[in-house]
Amino acid sequence: SLAIRLYVGSQFMKSGLVKINDWSATLALFRDEYKVPLLPPDLAAYMGAAGELTFPLLLFIGLLSRPAALGLFLVNAMAVISYPQLFSFECPAAVNDHFYWGALLLVIAAFGPGRFSLDAVLGEKRRA
């Protein structure tokens, strides 16, 4: 579980860091390329970057792991929904990565973060 949390979290953390590194390009992508349903592009950009930076931190330390995994699952699903070009790339790895990450996030949500997490430590203290 620790390896899954670190791997998936790092993928989203990298994406979030890229977004904030060039915020004007991020806003342009959300305005012109990504078609996020129901949200204005600027709000979607802020929410996407916030999710990609906050939820991985929670996964890394194993705090609120299940909600963090579900939050990242939604960020991931929104990425796939809002960028249908993923399905038209000649290399299927782009969309396959998203499906793989989604499956791993559901593993964390279903089975929890494992014993090497703050959730486990706090659970032990609560039982004692």
Side-chain angles (χ1 to χ4, degrees):
S1 293
L2 175 61
I4 293 173
R5 293 189 346 254
L6 294 177
Y7 170 71
V8 177
S10 70
Q11 301 306 307
F12 286 92
M13 178 63 73
K14 286 188 270 186
S15 179
L17 291 173
V18 167
K19 282 180 178 62
I20 63 170
N21 191 42
D22 191 349
W23 190 246
S24 60
T26 296
L27 289 175
L29 279 171
F30 274 84
R31 289 176 186 149
D32 303 329
E33 293 287 324
Y34 305 151
K35 306 301 178 207
V36 178
L38 306 176
L39 294 176
D42 288 8
L43 178 59
Y46 281 102
M47 290 178 67
E52 288 179 335
L53 295 169
T54 304
F55 294 135
L57 291 175
L58 293 171
L59 286 182
F60 293 155
I61 61 174
L63 181 62
L64 301 172
S65 302
R66 285 185 163 124
L70 290 174
L72 272 182
F73 182 85
L74 292 175
V75 169
N76 186 50
M78 194 55 57
V80 172
I81 291 166
S82 66
Y83 193 55
Q85 292 89 332
L86 281 173
F87 294 96
S88 63
F89 291 155
E90 287 185 26
C91 176
V95 74
N96 288 343
D97 283 347
H98 286 277
F99 290 135
Y100 182 63
W101 299 331
L104 291 174
L105 288 164
L106 289 177
V107 167
I108 296 167
F111 297 103
R115 78 171 78 161
F116 300 110
S117 66
L118 281 178
D119 289 339
V121 170
L122 294 172
E124 287 294 321
K125 286 186 179 184
R126 204 174 313 129
R127 284 188 280 271

